[in-house]
Amino acid sequence: MKKIVLLSLAALAPLYLAACSDQSSSSSSKSSTGSATSSKVVKKPTVAITTSTTGDPKSIDVTSTKMYKSNVSDSSWQGNIFKIDGIKMITTKPFKYHDDDDGIYNSKGVALIKYSIKAVAFDIDGDTNTSNLTTNLGGQTNIDYMDSQDTDTVNKGVTRTGIMVFPLTDNPSSIKSLRLKTSIDASSTKNDSSKDYDLHINLSK
């Protein structure tokens, strides 16, 4: 399992974000592009990270944290709305992160993505633990689903928020854009439709 014990949910809260959706059963991925604007830079001394399944959390020095608002949103999946409300890019001293599928990442920081799902047409299963993130510099990492917070089931007519956590192999301060790929499903035995998202987010200063 991907292990990276980060900030508490309270510390993750100041994020805001939006994403995309499609219409047919087994909808295919449709790319969306939007921008995110920087608000401020804040300094944090350390972050506790568990870098392996058998180790205790390690205190990793944090160099800086930059927060971005976002306007990425998609309602093409039968009116259901997936939004990215904001992104927090955390620069740390280098650390090794053990991923179940890809082995060891030589990580230089962490990305936190706050998103929301509004179920308009039917109930939605908000499990996003197969997500991955790519930067404009070529780094690609899988979601840290142990420390991310998904929305669980989102009932029709309800909006719920979640936070995705990704280790970063590129220097966060040099990243100009992100590509987020994730999938969600309808939450019903009578509805087997799903949606693959391919979201492009520009990190504007």
Side-chain angles (χ1 to χ4, degrees):
M1 249 183 200
K2 302 164 179 82
K3 298 282 259 178
I4 169 176
V5 176
L6 271 169
L7 318 170
S8 68
L9 271 207
L12 302 183
L15 307 169
Y16 305 92
L17 89 105
C20 67
S21 292
D22 199 311
Q23 265 216 18
S24 58
S25 290
S26 282
S27 303
S28 60
S29 173
K30 180 179 179 182
S31 176
S32 287
T33 302
S35 62
T37 56
S38 173
S39 56
K40 62 181 178 179
V41 176
V42 290
K43 300 256 183 191
K44 289 181 181 285
T46 61
V47 60
I49 299 172
T50 302
T51 56
S52 72
T53 56
T54 58
D56 294 324
K58 295 181 180 179
S59 184
I60 307 297
D61 289 337
V62 172
T63 304
S64 64
T65 300
K66 199 163 189 176
M67 296 166 56
Y68 298 87
K69 294 181 180 180
S70 173
N71 64 0
V72 180
S73 179
D74 191 292
S75 58
S76 60
W77 186 32
Q78 300 185 42
N80 301 308
I81 301 171
F82 191 105
K83 296 178 60 182
I84 297 175
D85 299 311
I87 301 152
K88 182 182 284 187
M89 302 291 284
I90 301 173
T91 302
T92 68
K93 286 192 174 180
F95 64 94
K96 292 188 181 298
Y97 172 89
H98 294 251
D99 180 84
D100 281 354
D101 299 321
D102 294 344
I104 295 176
Y105 295 148
N106 293 310
S107 302
K108 299 176 182 178
V110 178
L112 308 177
I113 298 178
K114 185 178 180 182
Y115 66 98
S116 63
I117 297 173
K118 182 176 182 179
V120 175
F122 40 73
D123 295 352
I124 292 174
D125 180 354
D127 184 355
T128 56
N129 66 12
T130 60
S131 305
N132 65 71
L133 190 71
T134 305
T135 75
N136 63 295
L137 301 176
Q140 178 177 324
T141 55
N142 296 320
I143 191 172
D144 166 28
Y145 57 79
M146 291 192 65
D147 296 295
S148 297
Q149 178 199 14
D150 65 34
T151 62
D152 293 321
T153 299
V154 185
N155 293 331
K156 181 179 177 180
V158 174
T159 300
R160 299 192 67 179
T161 61
I163 297 173
M164 299 183 195
V165 180
F166 294 92
L168 296 170
T169 56
D170 297 315
N171 187 334
S173 63
S174 299
I175 295 172
K176 304 300 182 185
S177 63
L178 300 171
R179 180 184 183 186
L180 173 66
K181 297 181 75 173
T182 191
S183 301
I184 56 176
D185 303 310
S187 179
S188 171
T189 56
K190 297 179 180 179
N191 185 348
D192 62 356
S193 66
S194 63
K195 171 63 184 175
D196 296 325
Y197 295 98
D198 189 349
L199 313 173
H200 298 261
I201 308 160
N202 296 318
L203 302 178
S204 303
K205 293 182 180 179

PDB file of all heavy atoms in Angstrom, residues 136-150:
ATOM      1  N   ASN A 136       4.195  18.576 -16.010  1.00  0.00           N
ATOM      2  CA  ASN A 136       4.735  19.005 -17.302  1.00  0.00           C
ATOM      3  C   ASN A 136       6.213  18.660 -17.450  1.00  0.00           C
ATOM      4  O   ASN A 136       6.748  18.661 -18.563  1.00  0.00           O
ATOM      5  CB  ASN A 136       4.553  20.519 -17.482  1.00  0.00           C
ATOM      6  CG  ASN A 136       5.321  21.313 -16.448  1.00  0.00           C
ATOM      7  OD1 ASN A 136       5.043  21.248 -15.243  1.00  0.00           O
ATOM      8  ND2 ASN A 136       6.290  22.095 -16.894  1.00  0.00           N
ATOM      9  N   LEU A 137       6.874  18.317 -16.346  1.00  0.00           N
ATOM     10  CA  LEU A 137       8.278  17.944 -16.386  1.00  0.00           C
ATOM     11  C   LEU A 137       8.474  16.455 -16.627  1.00  0.00           C
ATOM     12  O   LEU A 137       9.610  15.984 -16.741  1.00  0.00           O
ATOM     13  CB  LEU A 137       8.962  18.352 -15.078  1.00  0.00           C
ATOM     14  CG  LEU A 137       8.905  19.848 -14.750  1.00  0.00           C
ATOM     15  CD1 LEU A 137       9.531  20.129 -13.392  1.00  0.00           C
ATOM     16  CD2 LEU A 137       9.603  20.653 -15.839  1.00  0.00           C
ATOM     17  N   GLY A 138       7.373  15.699 -16.700  1.00  0.00           N
ATOM     18  CA  GLY A 138       7.458  14.279 -17.031  1.00  0.00           C
ATOM     19  C   GLY A 138       7.337  13.325 -15.869  1.00  0.00           C
ATOM     20  O   GLY A 138       7.294  12.109 -16.061  1.00  0.00           O
ATOM     21  N   GLY A 139       7.268  13.817 -14.642  1.00  0.00           N
ATOM     22  CA  GLY A 139       7.104  12.932 -13.494  1.00  0.00           C
ATOM     23  C   GLY A 139       5.694  12.394 -13.398  1.00  0.00           C
ATOM     24  O   GLY A 139       4.730  13.142 -13.580  1.00  0.00           O
ATOM     25  N   GLN A 140       5.562  11.102 -13.144  1.00  0.00           N
ATOM     26  CA  GLN A 140       4.236  10.481 -12.988  1.00  0.00           C
ATOM     27  C   GLN A 140       4.230   9.624 -11.731  1.00  0.00           C
ATOM     28  O   GLN A 140       5.116   8.792 -11.532  1.00  0.00           O
ATOM     29  CB  GLN A 140       3.885   9.612 -14.196  1.00  0.00           C
ATOM     30  CG  GLN A 140       2.541   8.895 -14.057  1.00  0.00           C
ATOM     31  CD  GLN A 140       2.167   8.095 -15.296  1.00  0.00           C
ATOM     32  OE1 GLN A 140       2.445   8.502 -16.408  1.00  0.00           O
ATOM     33  NE2 GLN A 140       1.541   6.949 -15.084  1.00  0.00           N
ATOM     34  N   THR A 141       3.228   9.834 -10.882  1.00  0.00           N
ATOM     35  CA  THR A 141       3.121   9.070  -9.640  1.00  0.00           C
ATOM     36  C   THR A 141       1.677   8.660  -9.406  1.00  0.00           C
ATOM     37  O   THR A 141       0.745   9.290  -9.888  1.00  0.00           O
ATOM     38  CB  THR A 141       3.610   9.896  -8.428  1.00  0.00           C
ATOM     39  OG1 THR A 141       2.904  11.129  -8.369  1.00  0.00           O
ATOM     40  CG2 THR A 141       5.108  10.169  -8.518  1.00  0.00           C
ATOM     41  N   ASN A 142       1.510   7.569  -8.664  1.00  0.00           N
ATOM     42  CA  ASN A 142       0.180   7.091  -8.291  1.00  0.00           C
ATOM     43  C   ASN A 142      -0.299   7.779  -7.019  1.00  0.00           C
ATOM     44  O   ASN A 142       0.495   8.278  -6.217  1.00  0.00           O
ATOM     45  CB  ASN A 142       0.209   5.578  -8.063  1.00  0.00           C
ATOM     46  CG  ASN A 142       0.547   4.813  -9.326  1.00  0.00           C
ATOM     47  OD1 ASN A 142       0.082   5.148 -10.409  1.00  0.00           O
ATOM     48  ND2 ASN A 142       1.378   3.782  -9.190  1.00  0.00           N
ATOM     49  N   ILE A 143      -1.593   7.758  -6.829  1.00  0.00           N
ATOM     50  CA  ILE A 143      -2.182   8.369  -5.644  1.00  0.00           C
ATOM     51  C   ILE A 143      -1.739   7.635  -4.377  1.00  0.00           C
ATOM     52  O   ILE A 143      -1.562   6.414  -4.370  1.00  0.00           O
ATOM     53  CB  ILE A 143      -3.725   8.373  -5.746  1.00  0.00           C
ATOM     54  CG1 ILE A 143      -4.358   9.231  -4.656  1.00  0.00           C
ATOM     55  CG2 ILE A 143      -4.280   6.951  -5.723  1.00  0.00           C
ATOM     56  CD1 ILE A 143      -5.859   9.430  -4.818  1.00  0.00           C
ATOM     57  N   ASP A 144      -1.526   8.374  -3.323  1.00  0.00           N
ATOM     58  CA  ASP A 144      -1.342   7.799  -1.988  1.00  0.00           C
ATOM     59  C   ASP A 144      -2.739   7.626  -1.390  1.00  0.00           C
ATOM     60  O   ASP A 144      -3.252   8.483  -0.694  1.00  0.00           O
ATOM     61  CB  ASP A 144      -0.491   8.728  -1.128  1.00  0.00           C
ATOM     62  CG  ASP A 144      -0.554   8.367   0.349  1.00  0.00           C
ATOM     63  OD1 ASP A 144      -0.773   7.182   0.658  1.00  0.00           O
ATOM     64  OD2 ASP A 144      -0.416   9.280   1.184  1.00  0.00           O
ATOM     65  N   TYR A 145      -3.358   6.485  -1.692  1.00  0.00           N
ATOM     66  CA  TYR A 145      -4.752   6.314  -1.294  1.00  0.00           C
ATOM     67  C   TYR A 145      -4.924   6.066   0.193  1.00  0.00           C
ATOM     68  O   TYR A 145      -6.019   6.213   0.733  1.00  0.00           O
ATOM     69  CB  TYR A 145      -5.425   5.189  -2.095  1.00  0.00           C
ATOM     70  CG  TYR A 145      -4.759   3.842  -2.019  1.00  0.00           C
ATOM     71  CD1 TYR A 145      -4.928   3.014  -0.923  1.00  0.00           C
ATOM     72  CD2 TYR A 145      -3.961   3.393  -3.066  1.00  0.00           C
ATOM     73  CE1 TYR A 145      -4.330   1.774  -0.857  1.00  0.00           C
ATOM     74  CE2 TYR A 145      -3.367   2.143  -3.007  1.00  0.00           C
ATOM     75  CZ  TYR A 145      -3.534   1.344  -1.910  1.00  0.00           C
ATOM     76  OH  TYR A 145      -2.924   0.116  -1.852  1.00  0.00           O
ATOM     77  N   MET A 146      -3.850   5.709   0.901  1.00  0.00           N
ATOM     78  CA  MET A 146      -3.973   5.512   2.347  1.00  0.00           C
ATOM     79  C   MET A 146      -4.199   6.830   3.080  1.00  0.00           C
ATOM     80  O   MET A 146      -4.856   6.868   4.115  1.00  0.00           O
ATOM     81  CB  MET A 146      -2.719   4.817   2.889  1.00  0.00           C
ATOM     82  CG  MET A 146      -2.594   3.377   2.444  1.00  0.00           C
ATOM     83  SD  MET A 146      -1.310   2.507   3.361  1.00  0.00           S
ATOM     84  CE  MET A 146      -2.006   2.537   5.007  1.00  0.00           C
ATOM     85  N   ASP A 147      -3.642   7.898   2.552  1.00  0.00           N
ATOM     86  CA  ASP A 147      -3.749   9.175   3.229  1.00  0.00           C
ATOM     87  C   ASP A 147      -4.662  10.157   2.512  1.00  0.00           C
ATOM     88  O   ASP A 147      -4.928  11.241   3.010  1.00  0.00           O
ATOM     89  CB  ASP A 147      -2.362   9.788   3.401  1.00  0.00           C
ATOM     90  CG  ASP A 147      -1.499   8.927   4.292  1.00  0.00           C
ATOM     91  OD1 ASP A 147      -1.824   8.788   5.482  1.00  0.00           O
ATOM     92  OD2 ASP A 147      -0.517   8.351   3.796  1.00  0.00           O
ATOM     93  N   SER A 148      -5.133   9.756   1.333  1.00  0.00           N
ATOM     94  CA  SER A 148      -6.129  10.570   0.652  1.00  0.00           C
ATOM     95  C   SER A 148      -7.495  10.343   1.294  1.00  0.00           C
ATOM     96  O   SER A 148      -7.728   9.353   1.975  1.00  0.00           O
ATOM     97  CB  SER A 148      -6.201  10.179  -0.830  1.00  0.00           C
ATOM     98  OG  SER A 148      -4.972  10.428  -1.486  1.00  0.00           O
ATOM     99  N   GLN A 149      -8.393  11.267   1.070  1.00  0.00           N
ATOM    100  CA  GLN A 149      -9.757  11.157   1.589  1.00  0.00           C
ATOM    101  C   GLN A 149     -10.715  11.208   0.410  1.00  0.00           C
ATOM    102  O   GLN A 149     -10.901  12.259  -0.206  1.00  0.00           O
ATOM    103  CB  GLN A 149     -10.076  12.309   2.554  1.00  0.00           C
ATOM    104  CG  GLN A 149     -11.493  12.265   3.088  1.00  0.00           C
ATOM    105  CD  GLN A 149     -11.959  13.601   3.643  1.00  0.00           C
ATOM    106  OE1 GLN A 149     -11.333  14.623   3.414  1.00  0.00           O
ATOM    107  NE2 GLN A 149     -13.066  13.580   4.354  1.00  0.00           N
ATOM    108  N   ASP A 150     -11.323  10.055   0.072  1.00  0.00           N
ATOM    109  CA  ASP A 150     -12.300  10.100  -1.015  1.00  0.00           C
ATOM    110  C   ASP A 150     -13.674  10.488  -0.467  1.00  0.00           C
ATOM    111  O   ASP A 150     -13.852  10.666   0.735  1.00  0.00           O
ATOM    112  CB  ASP A 150     -12.340   8.799  -1.816  1.00  0.00           C
ATOM    113  CG  ASP A 150     -12.830   7.599  -1.018  1.00  0.00           C
ATOM    114  OD1 ASP A 150     -13.702   7.777  -0.137  1.00  0.00           O
ATOM    115  OD2 ASP A 150     -12.368   6.464  -1.280  1.00  0.00           O
TER     116      ASP A 150
END
